[in-house]
Amino acid sequence: MGSKRTTPTGRRAGVRSGMGRRIAALATAAAMAIGGSRTAFAAGWQQDGAGWWYEREDGSYPVSTWYEDTDGSWYFFDERGYMISNCYRVIDGNIYSFRQDGRWGGVMFTDIVPGVWNGGLYDNSWSGFRLIVPAGYQVETAADTGTIGSAQTFVEFVVRMPDGTGSGMELEYADAYSFSGGAATTPEYVISLYSLRLALLGYTIEGTSTVNLGGKTYLKLSADGAGVMKRDLYCRKVGDHYFECLTVIYWLASQPYADALLAGIY
């Protein structure tokens, strides 16, 4: 199976946040909570110094499980009973993306394994992608999905270059089943969707080529932004039905930083 838009129990969920409407009402009570100890309130959403949880009428609360709010939004509570947010979480072998407010974004990725960070070393044994990040670069583990066309993607990380321009590199995975061609979808098709997006953003498409990064073959799309900014996409197929998409965005003066980052792929 590929990425899904159903609920954790197979039913379709809404996207409005019932918790968001409760935050103001709970502000006074939250200010009284200290540390990680829970203070007893009426049933419903509660907050203390450690985070948010949901208290039932009998005083119990969900632990290591899902909770569907009254508006159809889904949340997941950790082993302490606190709502997780702004992160990815592997649950029952599937990957879920949770938003800043804790809501599940509605997409579930299956048959994919996220990589592991050890200091400045990233290693994904599932895809075979490995990266050594040079000193001075900032790593941001992503917590939301990206998009390619109408398909949502699993974003692994963003690495910012140390020149202060905002230049950086992003790694994401797109599920072939999210496209009309299914498992038969090709890197060329994914590249064409990126080309359309960049053209709408005002980039000039310079062309495609086949390149080698860390011993792996990628289809590369090169685009120019008004002669001052570059945007390169590297795409290859991994696993049974996923695409690995590496996007590098940089100002022309930042190209040495981009080259050093790409040289760290092995």
Side-chain angles (χ1 to χ4, degrees), residues 185-216:
T185 304
T186 64
E188 287 78 8
Y189 180 76
V190 176
I191 287 288
S192 70
L193 293 180
Y194 264 99
S195 297
L196 291 173
R197 177 196 295 178
L198 294 181
L200 291 174
L201 292 175
Y203 282 83
T204 298
I205 306 302
E206 298 180 320
T208 60
S209 58
T210 300
V211 300
N212 184 287
L213 293 177
K216 296 170 283 292

Side-chain angles (χ1 to χ4, degrees), residues 76-158:
F76 191 84
F77 296 89
D78 65 17
E79 64 279 358
R80 302 175 303 156
Y82 287 103
M83 179 194 75
I84 64 174
S85 64
N86 195 35
C87 67
Y88 284 112
R89 180 65 64 92
V90 179
I91 303 171
D92 296 330
N94 301 313
I95 298 175
Y96 298 83
S97 173
F98 294 90
R99 300 174 179 173
Q100 186 71 39
D101 64 3
R103 285 183 297 153
W104 170 45
V107 179
M108 178 179 69
F109 296 91
T110 65
D111 307 325
I112 183 174
V113 180
V116 177
W117 282 98
N118 183 9
L121 174 64
Y122 171 84
D123 187 347
N124 191 317
S125 58
W126 168 76
S127 68
F129 185 88
R130 296 173 177 86
L131 171 69
I132 299 175
V133 179
Y137 290 68
Q138 179 184 355
V139 175
E140 301 174 5
T141 54
D144 204 352
T145 53
T147 58
I148 298 178
S150 60
Q152 289 189 286
T153 63
F154 169 56
V155 181
E156 275 271 40
F157 62 76
V158 176

Side-chain angles (χ1 to χ4, degrees), residues 156-180:
E156 275 271 40
F157 62 76
V158 176
V159 179
R160 303 291 182 188
M161 301 176 196
D163 57 356
T165 64
S167 299
M169 180 173 77
E170 177 184 85
L171 177 67
E172 61 185 328
Y173 290 96
D175 190 345
Y177 290 139
S178 297
F179 304 109
S180 58

